[in-house]
Amino acid sequence: MPKPYDTPAIRRKDIAHQVHPWTDFATFEDTGSLVLADAEGAFVCDSDGNWYLDGIGGLWCVNVGYGRREIADAMAAQAEKMVYYSSFGAHTSIPAAELAHKLSDLAPRGLSHIQFGTGGSMANDTAVRMIHYYFNRLGKKTKKKIITRRDGYHGSTYMAMSLTGVDFDHQGFDIIDDGLIQRISAPNTYRRPPGMSAQEFCDELVREFEDKITALGPDNVAALFAEPIMGAGGVIVAPPDYHPRMLEVCRKYDVLYVADEVVTGFGRLGHFFASESVFNIVPDIITCAKGLSSAYAPLSATILSDEFYDVISTPQAEGALLTHGFTYSGHPVCCAAGLKNIEIIEREDLCGHVRALGPYFESQLATLADLDLVGDVRGSHFMLCVENVADKQSKALLADDIRVGDRIADAAQKRGVLVRPIGHLNVLSPPLILTRDNIDTLVATLRESIVEVMDDLTREGRWTPA
């Protein structure tokens, strides 16, 4: 159990001084935050001693679970030996070199050059800057435009949020809006046009993408950014063959394919990388973070193809440098955490565990579809989502002010389970170490919580079952 804490005092300090990501200022000062103080395995504990099954995995990221002493020891040993040295120019550290080599072994064939950062947003920013540099080096200086999908999520820095197609996240903020970023439809099979088969929907999506490139002019389009399964935009799983066909269009028009595996990487779908193993594509660039270190240290990587590297590594002029990178690129302590994290995933065969248990997780969660509030249950393995609707037949949503996802998450938290609310959705991305019993608890708790919210909404006259 954690030491006793003065939770109200901590909460007051937090409210007074910390600006949280995705803060709801309408309620924050009144409610404050859940103060977390301890964690072990798949569970976290608040400062009052209450334990919760973490159905969120921190934020898609604590893949090997909490309290891994050997990762902490590896970080401590590296910090004591040499906490830091710059990786600029002709300097490296042993952990950075070893991790780059390991990632080149794990990534799909032909992707063997790694630039490190400290988060997924940084990895995607790096990809854009390097892509523009790549085409400049080829003399194709008009190839600048980046195509992303509506409801795609790529990060929160200025460029990464501009790549992001979630309109809700743009409220009140500026994004790069000079034509550099172009949008195409999300491959949301659940919300495809009525009467259209999944195959016909896929055909339409691919046609839309090709039409977008030809309308913009292939000489102006640099890259497509795509998550294998879209995460924060709703855990959207594309129709079968979508990704290979989109890659074919990219190849036809000399457009680079960037697979944003910040969420799907490092076991969440049962493989270190999902692009080739699950979706049968080898992209030009993979961006990753989160599960790379299981959140034990801030760490990300932009993984470049050999062909791409051959272009950017050709000296552009005598004395010229590749002037991109960060103070903490290849930070030795972070890379030590990444190496030990990967060692654990391999030694315990967590990818195999996810492949074995993922179908059970999917099937158990799918049982919630009998509830009148549940419109869709989707996702894959340890990346799942429940979409709540006002009416199953029309798929109409409840009013925004009902905040149905939040209400369900609050009800689950009272029962000792944390799930993530995103608007009308509830998302699950737990540590990869979950057992069948953990899954049963999570699903049963979510059912009880949805039923509670259904009863409350009916009593309030805000919703009537169809």
Side-chain angles (χ1 to χ4, degrees), residues 271-293:
H271 300 272
F272 273 100
F273 294 101
S275 293
E276 185 175 28
S277 299
V278 180
F279 297 99
N280 197 31
I281 64 167
V282 177
D284 300 288
I285 296 174
I286 291 176
T287 57
C288 58
K290 295 191 183 290
L292 172 55
S293 69

Side-chain angles (χ1 to χ4, degrees), residues 24 402-411 421-426 453:
D24 184 350
I402 289 177
R403 302 171 67 89
V404 64
D406 289 293
R407 292 175 72 149
I408 292 169
D410 289 345
I422 304 178
H424 60 285
L425 311 173
N426 289 107
V453 171

